[in-house]
Structure formats: C-alpha cells, structure tokens
Amino acid sequence: MDKTEYDISKIAKVLEGIKSRLDRNSGVKAELIYKAKDLDRVLFAGNTDDNTSISSIEGDKQIYETFLYYLENEGLVKIMADKSGISFHLTPKGHTFKTYGGFTALEKEEEKRQKKEKIKQRLWEFSGWIFAAIAGFAEKIFNFIRELL
C-alpha cells in the first residue's frame, strides 16, 4: 500500500466518524436535517488564511450561522464574532476535509457503500435460487437412480 492509498483510507475513516456524529445529533440538532451540499456551501466559502464573513455567503445567514456552530463543534472551523458580525476560518482539519471533498464526498462514499451492499445482497439471493434449483434437480436424479437399483 503506497502512502496515497494510506492517506485516503485514513481520511475515509475520519469522514465515517464525522458521518456517525452527524447521525447521533441530540436536542434541537436532531430535528434539523443538515444536507451535505448546504454544509459544504459554508465550508467551501472559508479558507485557512483569512477570515470569511458569514454575510459574504449567499443565502440564509441564520441557517449558515447554525451550520457554522456545527462545523466548529466538529473542529472544522474557528468562529470569531465582532461588531461587523460573525466570521470564520478553516482549521487544518477543516482544510483537509474540504480538500478531500467535504460532506458531499462523504455522502457519495456512503451511497457507494450502500450500492455495494445492495449488490452483495442480490448476489446472495441469486445464489440461493440457483442452489435451490440445483438441489431440486439433484434430488430428482438421486431418486431416479435409487429406483433403478
């Protein structure tokens, strides 16, 4: 396994951890449905060098503020508030997460995993049908041979 494959598998594990935390939200957050594209809109607006004002992101500022607090709780952004409003910048973890595709990549990976699981399930079902057909045919042959003897 070369270093790139190791890095990708390590990042995939981190993404799975974030996904599991998304699924385990409590309180008010549990009632909100955070869509990957919406979280990414906020995440991708930021960078590690400069602060990004929440007002510079097109859309509902109150919802984006909620997303920012969630992203900060995950360690992906650092929030600053002053007289001009709320701004943020990406943490190194946030920059890495953004570089590897953010929540949308995580969502696509989960869809891929579910698709593989579905294919695996269908293959098992199909192999069961084949086994049942062969077993029935083998039983008839066995009974025919036994009657001959």
Side-chain angles (χ1 to χ4, degrees), residues 113-123:
R113 188 194 64 75
Q114 287 177 351
K115 186 177 179 180
K116 283 181 182 178
E117 196 63 35
K118 194 173 190 177
I119 290 171
K120 185 177 172 182
Q121 181 182 2
R122 287 190 176 158
L123 284 173

Side-chain angles (χ1 to χ4, degrees), residues 55-123:
S55 61
S56 68
I57 306 170
E58 196 169 314
D60 190 327
K61 307 309 178 223
Q62 285 77 26
I63 291 175
Y64 291 159
E65 184 177 336
T66 303
F67 291 164
L68 270 180
Y69 289 120
Y70 172 77
L71 294 171
E72 182 178 49
N73 191 35
E74 293 298 321
L76 301 173
V77 301
K78 178 71 176 147
I79 298 175
M80 281 77 53
D82 58 20
K83 293 177 184 176
S84 62
I86 296 174
S87 60
F88 69 99
H89 69 267
L90 297 180
T91 63
K93 180 179 175 182
H95 175 74
T96 302
F97 189 63
K98 174 183 171 181
T99 301
Y100 281 92
F103 291 95
T104 305
L106 181 64
E107 186 176 65
K108 286 179 182 176
E109 191 64 35
E110 179 63 19
E111 287 171 0
K112 232 193 263 185
R113 188 194 64 75
Q114 287 177 351
K115 186 177 179 180
K116 283 181 182 178
E117 196 63 35
K118 194 173 190 177
I119 290 171
K120 185 177 172 182
Q121 181 182 2
R122 287 190 176 158
L123 284 173

